[in-house]
Amino acid sequence: MLIGSEGYVGALGAAETDRAIPIWFHTHPGDGAVPIPSKYDRQVDRDISDLFQLRSGSAFYATLIASPQSDGFIFTGEITPEGGQAVPIDRVWSVGERWRLLQNFTRDTTAPATIFDRNVRAFGPDIQHVLGDLRVAIVGAGGTGSAVAEQLVRLGVRHLLLVDSDILSASNVTRVFGSTPREVGQPKVDVLRAHLMRIAPDLICSTIQGMVTVQSVAQALRSSDIVFGCTDDNAGRLVLSRLATFLLTPVIDVGVLLSSDSAGVLIGIDGRVTTLTPGAACLVCRNRVDMARAAAEMRTPEERQRLADEGYAPALGQVEPAVVAFTTAVAAAAVNELLDRLIGYGPPERPNETLLRLHEREISTNSAAPRPRHYCDMAQGKWGAGDEEPFLGQLWGAE
Ligand SMILES: [Zn+2]
Ligand SMILES: [Zn+2]
């Protein structure tokens, strides 16, 4: 078979315009076909790789071979930097209604470790491999973030990035999993990491002690397949909301709100798990971000003081009530959401938000669509826009 260059030169030009890496893709169809490159495939790679890099302006040549299966496809692929060694494309991460992590056909398929026997009995060995390979970031290492991390590691997640700027305080020990009075004064991410490493010595866990509202910290989330938003920070939520859209990285955002009456008695225990995935409304469209607080959080301490002196003091810095039973329940609902999206045991029309009214013992779900012309509206073309300048199409402060 001969493939004329007119078939792909146009696509290379489009890749250059989009600053994308073109991928030379073909299938090996048929019963029992395997997506392993043939001698002829290798010859094609040698023939066209220079042209691909030249015409697309990319410093990479990439290939993907897929073999359709009854329930999806299997694949192999490689990406070769200019003048360098080919690196396998180890995964294809598909984020529709269901989230599927497809691993390279040549991957290690040894049985999952026996410690996961009970998981495998529930979900099968494939999901165990996926959990072990998934790159998960958790923004916020407090009550909900630490509870999410603990569950993920026990489930078999082995690649974690923890992001939090805070130091563990004495009043955090009542909620932060893995913390004891001895660790008070240490960065929360360090305390949590040390705890998780005791549970799973093979865990690959990196940490950033910083705020996601800082550009370099937000950019570090690019290498994650999924992000859990476990922060109280409204400005941080705005960043995560954009991240889901621009980078197609699903975000599971978690919130807990305790309300009291005038006498200070607890009257409401509300938990929220919102899933930001293509086609769903962002946190702004859902009114899940307090915009006044987000704006105040972005000000310098001096500016905040000045505003307070002028009588305009947005509700900042006040210590909110928090209780381990409630933060843990909502964290469990967030992890449940990830498992549902990976395994598909939930309702066929997946809701993108779960509300837990713990005080009333009620759970409800909903699906919200983007507001017209907001960045999360599909018609704006921002879903999967990638690494734009400025990053996430927003303004960033000083590092
Ligand atoms: Zn082939
Ligand atoms: Zn929106």
Side-chain angles (χ1 to χ4, degrees):
M1 185 175 61
L2 206 67
I3 300 153
S5 61
E6 63 274 16
Y8 54 78
V9 165
L12 298 177
E16 181 166 33
T17 307
D18 287 351
R19 294 192 301 150
I21 298 172
I23 298 182
W24 178 245
F25 172 82
H26 71 281
T27 59
H28 289 176
D31 248 4
V34 288
I36 300 284
S38 66
K39 220 166 82 185
Y40 177 70
D41 289 334
R42 290 303 189 190
Q43 186 56 49
V44 170
D45 291 341
R46 282 190 290 274
D47 291 346
I48 67 174
S49 62
D50 285 349
L51 178 74
F52 259 55
Q53 293 178 32
L54 198 70
R55 291 295 181 93
S56 70
S58 156
F60 298 94
Y61 172 70
T63 61
L64 209 66
I65 305 173
S67 293
Q69 306 275 294
S70 58
D71 59 343
F73 64 91
I74 50 178
F75 81 95
T76 67
E78 288 178 353
I79 183 158
T80 312
E82 207 173 348
Q85 282 291 313
V87 182
I89 295 175
D90 56 356
R91 59 249 294 271
V92 171
W93 179 221
S94 152
V95 290
E97 276 277 284
R98 286 271 302 278
W99 299 338
R100 294 176 197 272
L101 182 68
L102 303 173
Q103 291 155 304
N104 193 301
F105 177 71
T106 61
R107 76 183 191 277
D108 174 23
T109 49
T110 49
T114 51
I115 60 162
F116 298 120
D117 175 58
R118 299 300 186 96
N119 289 355
V120 170
R121 285 171 196 271
F123 306 131
D126 289 350
I127 290 295
Q128 202 59 52
H129 283 294
V130 166
L131 288 169
D133 197 32
L134 207 60
R135 270 66 172 166
V136 182
I138 304 175
V139 177
T144 51
S146 66
V148 165
E150 169 111 23
Q151 292 172 78
L152 291 180
V153 169
R154 291 191 191 277
L155 276 166
V157 168
R158 287 297 175 265
H159 300 84
L160 270 188
L161 167 63
L162 307 175
V163 179
D164 197 311
S165 60
D166 281 353
I167 301 292
L168 187 79
S169 70
S171 72
N172 290 150
V173 178
T174 53
R175 290 177 316 287
V176 175
F177 281 70
S179 73
T180 70
R182 258 192 309 189
E183 283 90 37
V184 170
Q186 294 179 22
K188 280 183 184 170
V189 286
D190 293 349
V191 173
L192 184 55
R193 181 180 187 278
H195 171 62
L196 299 172
M197 294 302 296
R198 279 194 295 274
I199 300 170
D202 59 338
L203 180 68
I204 298 162
C205 182
S206 39
T207 58
I208 297 176
Q209 194 189 342
M211 309 267 287
V212 77
T213 47
V214 172
Q215 184 174 1
S216 60
V217 176
Q219 283 175 327
L221 298 174
R222 285 183 297 200
S223 53
S224 303
D225 297 319
I226 171 168
V227 176
F228 282 88
C230 299
T231 172
D232 294 333
D233 174 21
N234 287 267
R237 282 212 170 93
L238 289 180
V239 172
L240 296 184
S241 209
R242 284 180 171 267
L243 189 95
T245 305
F246 282 72
L247 300 187
L248 283 179
T249 305
V251 171
I252 299 178
D253 188 68
V254 179
V256 185
L257 180 69
L258 305 186
S259 333
S260 312
D261 64 14
S262 54
V265 177
L266 193 60
I267 52 167
I269 311 164
D270 291 286
R272 173 182 60 76
V273 175
T274 307
T275 305
L276 308 179
T277 197
C282 76
L283 293 171
V284 178
C285 287
R286 288 177 166 279
N287 293 321
R288 298 307 185 204
V289 180
D290 183 331
M291 299 303 275
R293 282 190 64 148
E297 283 160 3
M298 295 306 289
R299 294 181 190 277
T300 63
E302 297 75 34
E303 283 175 327
R304 286 193 213 170
Q305 190 55 52
R306 185 176 55 78
L307 287 171
D309 293 345
E310 289 169 2
Y312 172 73
L316 275 186
Q318 73 188 49
V319 180
E320 303 285 347
V323 177
V324 65
F326 313 147
T327 48
T328 305
V330 183
V335 174
N336 184 355
E337 180 68 23
L338 171 63
L339 291 175
D340 183 356
R341 295 274 177 169
L342 292 176
I343 297 158
Y345 54 73
E349 293 275 309
R350 253 172 206 82
N352 41 51
E353 189 170 70
T354 300
L355 300 174
L356 301 124
R357 286 183 298 282
L358 295 172
H359 54 292
E360 287 164 346
R361 310 292 196 276
E362 278 181 8
I363 298 178
S364 67
T365 60
N366 65 72
S367 292
R371 289 181 197 161
R373 290 188 297 283
H374 198 240
Y375 67 79
C376 69
D377 178 356
M378 277 287 178
Q380 298 298 304
K382 295 299 181 190
W383 283 97
D387 221 346
E388 289 200 326
E389 189 58 49
F391 185 55
L392 305 184
Q394 71 165 55
L395 291 173
W396 297 88
E399 286 280 307

